[in-house]
């Protein structure tokens, strides 16, 4: 299937996907806890019959049941060596269902087979241990086996990590030209578990060439409206919606999905009217749900898909829109070793702490983006760039600008950056334009157009204009758009060319008014070699903003410069400019008033900040510095580490931090605790042995990300934690609790089909007469369910688990 064919098909009708596979197969005899791929390949007829029923219900795109048939997921059952057989056979099963449907119905309508893939469950570096390239290769392995059987397109679904979406999408693109749909799953706060919002997800993925983007699983269709609306605002690809049949609950030990087929179809028509053009069902939906959905949307015209693209840069969690008519924006320029001997020395020594300091300071001073340049002699630029990106992303959450003249370094950075980045820069020099334009297209990046050619600087304005237009035309030819381009006005010093400022302003006006592209300048170049440079720079900036300048690479620590920019926007009546100007001026006065206080740094600042920012590389050195300054191990724990992890938890609760930051902070603290524990003179006063907790994912459930985080947090707070792992038999949990005289049993479950095991554990605890308290948690667990099965506590997340354990143990001590 060609991508153009896919687009034509989607624009011709509301496209119907299939419904749930797993929940329906369990009704048809698939036991909880078995490897689904193994069971399906041993029970072909059952799967073929289900798939055929979906086709009879009106499905246009039928998913293969290869969902979790990647090496990582299969290894959880010790079946990774069967990866080829499972993927190939499961594709063949889907094709057999289609053939059988054709034979029995004699229906020749267009139906396509989509190879289904999902997350691995592993976290990618720097938050996890798996490298990005390892992840890409894991997906490639699965894709290669699928391609041997042949499919029409791919779908990457139920994703929680935007970076993992990128890896899977790249894997498909690097092996074939088939269309790809990508779908994420969101929590109640309309963010993924890793903190990505719908706007950021679609901005990144459609720029990287995803042919459709959307949402699946998560919740019922009645709760998906905001997600679809957010995506629709910026979508230039079709939007997919595949919700559950409502939020499940347990009744008499059975998982119940509350939304019937009629209500499901009714709610889905609302999502279609809001912009979803590819629709189906996820957990709990049946062929009847799909049949009524197909009937409900029949004759409805698909929503028109935007032709225009969005100007925006992102991190993994936030999107920063760019408007050529909007507020002026600043790219912080300080992370650049040119002329900075101390910074150069740090980079040669492998010390990247200055980058985190400069990044944080520039963002606090008002930078919208950060330019990252580590080009200098004496370092491996590729390694240095990757380390610098990691440091900047760990410290701040603003989009980055990759600044390098080396195409290999640029690709290495583009490959691992988990959002949408700005390339600095692409000129008409043959080596640069031939290598870098395709990279911008492949990785979905925006780029700065630098009007230089192989002959050097343009001799006059006419040649500059010719170069700009030539690069734009080359970009459009390979599928990039004008919204992907920011033109460098190419500022030269007014000291050597009296018309330098005028020529740059003419370029800015031409680009904005005639070409419709954004512009940027390296501001300080205008005053090079002249005294009182800040006055020239700020005056030139005001003229440039009035002419339509989009952004500038500048030092945001210069108050005159930043206030000139804000005042210019104010005088040009730009939206929100007055509020931003007043807020900045008030903040400056407040800072001046409290200058003495700001200079005072608490003794625990460095260690505290390291945990807060998840700085695993530096934490031990910082702890050693405190010890060398005669700070006791217990004091470091009580006044630095514990307050820091409490703040991490607070930021997580308030949704300013997400899973990656929570894990990084916890792991950083654990490194410090593990180092300090042997040094504690009085073990009785240590943070250890606060109580014993047995933790496990219940029988039949192989999900353990949340459980692992709870175990880590409890250890950091001084509890003795015995982690039994995942898919743990109830008898094993009880036996271990007895042997260890456990105070608490902490149980996790991610599936409604396995949460019933929690009740069995509680019943066996009572039968055994154990004084052990039982707390439960997991994605499908609610406080209502905890009360229903008489659990002693419920924790929605890791931070809450620590508090619940503390209260239960404190209560036991008091009694």
């Amino acid at each position: 299937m060609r991508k153009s064919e896919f687009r034509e098909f989607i624009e011709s009708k509301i496209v119907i996907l299939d419904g749930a596979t797993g929940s329906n197969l369990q009704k048809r005899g698939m036991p909880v806890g078995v490897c689904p791929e193994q069971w399906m390949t041993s029970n072909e007829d059952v799967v073929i019959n289900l798939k055929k029923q979906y086709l009879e219900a009106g499905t246009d795109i039928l998913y293969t049941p290869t969902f979790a048939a990647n090496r990582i997921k299969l290894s959880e059952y010790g079946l990774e060596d069967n990866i080829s057989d499972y993927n190939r056979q499961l594709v063949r099963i889907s094709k057999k269902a289609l053939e059988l449907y054709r034979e029995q119905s004699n229906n020749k309508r267009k139906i396509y087979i989509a190879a289904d893939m999902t997350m691995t469950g592993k976290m990618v570096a720097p938050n996890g241990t798996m490298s990005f390239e390892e992840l890409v290769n894991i997906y490639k392995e699965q894709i290669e086996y699928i391609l041997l059987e042949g499919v029409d397109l791919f779908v990457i679904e139920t994703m929680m990590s935007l970076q993992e979406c990128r890896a899977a999408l790249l894997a498909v693109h690097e092996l074939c030209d088939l269309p790809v749909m990508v779908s994420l799953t969101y929590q109640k706060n309309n963010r993924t578990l890793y903190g990505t919002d719908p706007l950021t997800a679609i901005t990144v993925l459609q720029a990287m060439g995803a042919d459709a983007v959307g949402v699946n699983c998560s919740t019922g269709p009645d709760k998906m409206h905001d997600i679809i609306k957010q995506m629709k605002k910026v979508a230039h690809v079709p939007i997919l919606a595949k919700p559950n049949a409502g939020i499940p609950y347990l009744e008499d030990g059975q998982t119940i999905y509350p939304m019937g087929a009629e209500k499901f179809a009714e709610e889905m028509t609302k999502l279609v009217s809001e912009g979803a053009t590819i629709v189906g069902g996820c957990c709990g939906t049946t062929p009847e749900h799909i049949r009524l959905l197909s009937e409900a949307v029949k004759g409805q015209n698909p929503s028109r898909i935007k032709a225009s693209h969005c100007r925006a840069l992102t991190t993994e969690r936030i999107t920063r829109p760019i408007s050529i008519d909007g507020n002026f924006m600043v790219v912080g320029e300080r992370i650049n070793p040119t002329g900075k001997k101390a910074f150069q020395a740090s980079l040669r020594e492998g010390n990247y702490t200055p980058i985190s300091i400069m990044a944080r300071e520039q963002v606090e001073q008002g930078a919208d983006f950060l330019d990252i340049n580590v080009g200098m002699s004496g370092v491996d630029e590729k390694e240095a760039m990757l380390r610098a990106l990691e440091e900047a992303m760990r410290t701040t959450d603003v989009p980055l600008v990759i600044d390098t003249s080396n195409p290999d370094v640029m690709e290495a950075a583009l490959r691992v950056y988990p959002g949408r980045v700005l390339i600095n820069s692409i000129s008409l020099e043959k080596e640069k334009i031939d290598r870098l334009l395709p990279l911008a297209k492949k990785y979905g990046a925006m780029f700065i157009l630098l009007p230089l050619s192989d002959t050097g600087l343009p001799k006059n304005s006419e040649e500059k204009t010719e170069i700009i237009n030539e690069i734009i035309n080359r970009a459009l030819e390979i599928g990039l758009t004008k919204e992907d381009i920011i033109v460098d006005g190419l500022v030269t010093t007014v000291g050597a060319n009296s018309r330098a400022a005028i020529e740059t302003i003419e370029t800015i006006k031409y680009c904005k008014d005639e070409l419709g592209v954004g512009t940027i300048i390296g501001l300080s170049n205008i005053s090079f070699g002249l005294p009182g440079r800040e006055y020239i720079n700020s005056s030139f900036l005001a003229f440039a903003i009035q002419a339509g300048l989009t952004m500038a690479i500048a030092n945001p620590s210069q108050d005159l410069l930043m206030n000139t920019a804000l005042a210019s926007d104010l005088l040009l009546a730009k939206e929100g400019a007055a509020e931003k100007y007043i807020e900045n001026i008030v903040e400056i006065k407040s800072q001046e008033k409290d200058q003495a206080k700001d200079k005072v740094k608490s003794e625990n600042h460095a260690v505290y900040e390291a945990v807060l920012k998840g700085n695993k590389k530096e934490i031990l050195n910082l702890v050693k510095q405190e010890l060398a300054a005669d700070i006791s191990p217990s004091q470091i724990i009580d006044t630095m580490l514990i307050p820091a992890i409490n703040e991490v938890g607070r930021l997580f609760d308030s949704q300013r931090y997400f899973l990656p930051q929570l894990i990084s902070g916890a792991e950083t603290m654990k490194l410090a605790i593990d180092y300090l524990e042997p040094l504690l003179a009085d073990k009785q006063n240590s943070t250890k042995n606060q109580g014993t907790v047995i933790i496990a994912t219940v029988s039949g459930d192989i999900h353990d990300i949340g459980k692992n985080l709870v175990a880590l947090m409890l250890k950091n707070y001084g509890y003795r934690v015995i982690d039994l792992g995942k898919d743990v038999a109830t008898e094993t949990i009880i036996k271990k609790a007895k042997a260890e005289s456990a105070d608490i049993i902490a149980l996790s479950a991610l599936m409604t089909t396995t949460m019933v095991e929690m009740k069995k554990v509680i019943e066996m605890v009572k039968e055994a007469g154990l004084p052990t308290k039982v707390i439960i948690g997991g994605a499908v667990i609610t406080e209502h369910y905890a009360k229903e099965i008489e659990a002693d506590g419920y924790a929605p997340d890791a931070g809450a688990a620590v508090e619940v354990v503390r209260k239960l143990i404190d209560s036991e001590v008091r009694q």
Side-chain angles (χ1 to χ4, degrees), residues 364-481:
E364 289 171 353
Q365 291 156 354
D368 300 286
F369 314 109
L370 295 176
D371 187 82
I372 309 292
N373 183 316
V374 290
M376 53 174 276
S377 62
V379 299
D380 180 329
E381 190 185 357
K382 184 186 291 187
E383 181 186 344
M385 176 61 79
L386 296 178
R387 288 279 305 276
L389 291 180
E390 182 181 322
E391 195 73 20
M393 289 188 293
R394 182 180 57 75
T395 308
T396 65
D397 198 20
V398 300
L400 303 182
V401 179
I402 311 299
D403 187 353
T404 176
S405 59
N406 186 322
D408 292 333
V409 175
M410 182 63 74
E411 178 160 25
L414 290 172
R415 196 162 180 86
V416 302
Y417 184 74
R420 192 178 193 213
V421 79
L422 180 63
I423 293 173
N424 186 9
S425 56
I426 301 178
S427 68
L428 195 56
E429 296 163 285
K430 181 171 175 52
E431 182 187 358
K432 301 286 179 61
I433 195 165
D434 288 349
R435 286 283 309 277
L436 294 177
L437 271 184
L439 292 181
K441 175 64 176 172
K442 177 177 180 178
Y443 294 103
M446 294 181 67
F447 73 92
I448 295 174
L449 186 161
L450 184 64
L452 298 179
S453 67
D454 286 316
T455 59
L457 287 166
K459 300 177 183 64
N460 49 48
S461 296
E462 290 74 21
E463 185 181 351
K464 185 198 284 188
T465 300
E466 289 175 6
I467 293 173
I468 290 170
N469 281 287
E470 173 66 16
I471 296 174
I472 289 175
N473 289 335
R474 292 274 297 271
L476 297 180
E477 285 171 6
I478 67 167
L480 291 164
T481 69

Side-chain angles (χ1 to χ4, degrees), residues 9 167 266 286 301 309 422 429 446 475 481 570 586 641 766:
F9 183 58
E266 177 188 333
T286 65
N301 293 320
H309 291 213
L422 180 63
E429 296 163 285
M446 294 181 67
T481 69
L570 167 66
V586 170
L641 296 174
K766 291 178 180 177

Side-chain angles (χ1 to χ4, degrees), residues 331-609:
V331 179
E333 69 178 5
R334 290 178 55 201
I335 303 175
N336 187 323
T338 304
K340 299 172 183 171
K341 291 182 179 179
F343 186 27
Q344 291 174 10
S346 292
L347 292 179
R348 290 193 183 101
E349 294 166 2
N351 175 15
Y352 290 81
T353 301
I355 290 176
S356 64
I357 295 171
M358 287 187 282
R360 184 169 57 250
E361 288 177 349
Q362 289 183 101
V363 171
E364 289 171 353
Q365 291 156 354
D368 300 286
F369 314 109
L370 295 176
D371 187 82
I372 309 292
N373 183 316
V374 290
M376 53 174 276
S377 62
V379 299
D380 180 329
E381 190 185 357
K382 184 186 291 187
E383 181 186 344
M385 176 61 79
L386 296 178
R387 288 279 305 276
L389 291 180
E390 182 181 322
E391 195 73 20
M393 289 188 293
R394 182 180 57 75
T395 308
T396 65
D397 198 20
V398 300
L400 303 182
V401 179
I402 311 299
D403 187 353
T404 176
S405 59
N406 186 322
D408 292 333
V409 175
M410 182 63 74
E411 178 160 25
L414 290 172
R415 196 162 180 86
V416 302
Y417 184 74
R420 192 178 193 213
V421 79
L422 180 63
I423 293 173
N424 186 9
S425 56
I426 301 178
S427 68
L428 195 56
E429 296 163 285
K430 181 171 175 52
E431 182 187 358
K432 301 286 179 61
I433 195 165
D434 288 349
R435 286 283 309 277
L436 294 177
L437 271 184
L439 292 181
K441 175 64 176 172
K442 177 177 180 178
Y443 294 103
M446 294 181 67
F447 73 92
I448 295 174
L449 186 161
L450 184 64
L452 298 179
S453 67
D454 286 316
T455 59
L457 287 166
K459 300 177 183 64
N460 49 48
S461 296
E462 290 74 21
E463 185 181 351
K464 185 198 284 188
T465 300
E466 289 175 6
I467 293 173
I468 290 170
N469 281 287
E470 173 66 16
I471 296 174
I472 289 175
N473 289 335
R474 292 274 297 271
L476 297 180
E477 285 171 6
I478 67 167
L480 291 164
T481 69
K482 287 188 176 182
E483 289 86 359
D484 300 324
I485 301 168
I486 305 288
V487 175
D488 191 327
L490 205 62
V491 178
T492 57
T493 176
V494 75
N497 173 13
S498 61
R499 287 184 53 80
I502 295 170
E503 290 170 357
T504 298
I505 286 172
E506 288 173 349
T507 299
I508 292 167
K509 288 180 176 178
Y510 171 73
C511 289
K512 180 179 183 292
D513 299 337
E514 297 191 36
L515 298 180
V517 296
T519 51
I520 190 170
I521 57 174
L523 185 62
S524 60
N525 295 344
I526 194 70
S527 64
F528 183 77
L530 295 170
R533 296 182 65 182
E534 64 273 21
Y535 304 115
I536 299 172
N537 293 346
S538 59
S539 298
F540 174 53
L541 178 60
F543 288 136
I545 291 173
Q546 195 278 330
L549 180 67
T550 311
M551 61 181 71
I553 299 176
N555 185 346
S557 68
Q558 298 174 359
D559 287 342
L560 177 60
L561 195 71
M562 297 299 286
N563 288 326
T564 297
L566 292 169
S568 298
D569 278 352
L570 167 66
L571 296 173
L572 291 169
K574 292 184 180 179
E575 186 177 351
E579 292 83 354
K580 286 182 71 176
Y581 175 79
I582 293 168
E583 181 183 335
N584 191 62
I585 294 298
V586 170
E587 187 176 336
I588 289 172
K589 289 185 176 180
S590 175
Q591 287 173 351
E592 290 171 351
K593 192 174 182 181
D594 297 332
Q595 192 172 12
K597 291 181 182 178
D598 288 342
K599 287 182 178 178
V600 177
K601 301 291 182 182
S602 64
E603 290 182 356
N604 70 353
H605 178 77
V607 171
Y608 179 94
E609 284 291 320

Side-chain angles (χ1 to χ4, degrees), residues 673 677 686-695 710-724 736-746 805 809:
I673 292 285
E677 186 181 5
S686 85
T687 59
K688 299 294 180 181
N689 303 321
Q690 300 297 312
T692 297
V693 180
I694 303 291
I695 190 167
V710 171
L712 181 59
M713 292 286 282
L714 288 169
K715 287 177 184 177
N716 283 346
Y717 276 87
Y719 296 98
R720 177 173 170 255
V721 177
I722 300 169
D723 188 346
L724 300 182
K736 198 67 176 176
K738 281 182 182 177
E740 301 293 339
S741 300
D743 299 285
I744 303 287
I745 293 174
V805 168
I809 291 180

Side-chain angles (χ1 to χ4, degrees), residues 209-369:
D211 298 278
V213 179
V215 53
N216 78 287
C217 205
S218 306
T219 185
D222 52 325
K223 307 295 184 185
M224 279 190 177
H225 300 294
D226 287 345
I227 294 172
I228 299 300
K229 288 175 182 176
Q230 283 187 54
M231 288 188 172
K232 184 62 179 172
K233 288 178 184 176
V234 298
H236 59 256
V237 298
I239 297 174
L240 177 158
K242 204 171 190 281
N244 295 337
I247 300 172
Y249 63 90
L250 276 180
E251 188 174 278
D252 298 327
Q254 297 295 315
T255 301
I256 306 296
Y257 287 89
M259 190 171 287
E262 288 186 10
K263 181 64 174 176
F264 182 83
E266 177 188 333
E267 291 293 339
M268 289 300 292
T269 60
K270 298 174 186 177
L271 294 183
V272 168
S273 67
E274 289 164 354
T277 55
I278 307 171
V279 292
C282 203
C283 303
T285 58
T286 65
E288 181 66 6
H289 284 78
I290 300 305
R291 185 183 69 80
L292 293 184
L293 166 61
S294 180
E295 291 177 359
V297 300
K298 191 176 292 182
Q300 239 181 301
N301 293 320
S303 176
R304 190 176 66 84
I305 300 169
K306 283 184 184 177
S308 61
H309 291 213
C310 66
R311 285 186 186 87
L313 299 178
T314 82
T315 66
E316 190 171 8
R317 289 174 289 276
I318 64 115
T319 295
R320 192 144 285 174
I322 299 167
S323 170
I324 60 174
D325 297 310
N327 293 85
F328 172 75
M329 308 183 88
V330 174
V331 179
E333 69 178 5
R334 290 178 55 201
I335 303 175
N336 187 323
T338 304
K340 299 172 183 171
K341 291 182 179 179
F343 186 27
Q344 291 174 10
S346 292
L347 292 179
R348 290 193 183 101
E349 294 166 2
N351 175 15
Y352 290 81
T353 301
I355 290 176
S356 64
I357 295 171
M358 287 187 282
R360 184 169 57 250
E361 288 177 349
Q362 289 183 101
V363 171
E364 289 171 353
Q365 291 156 354
D368 300 286
F369 314 109

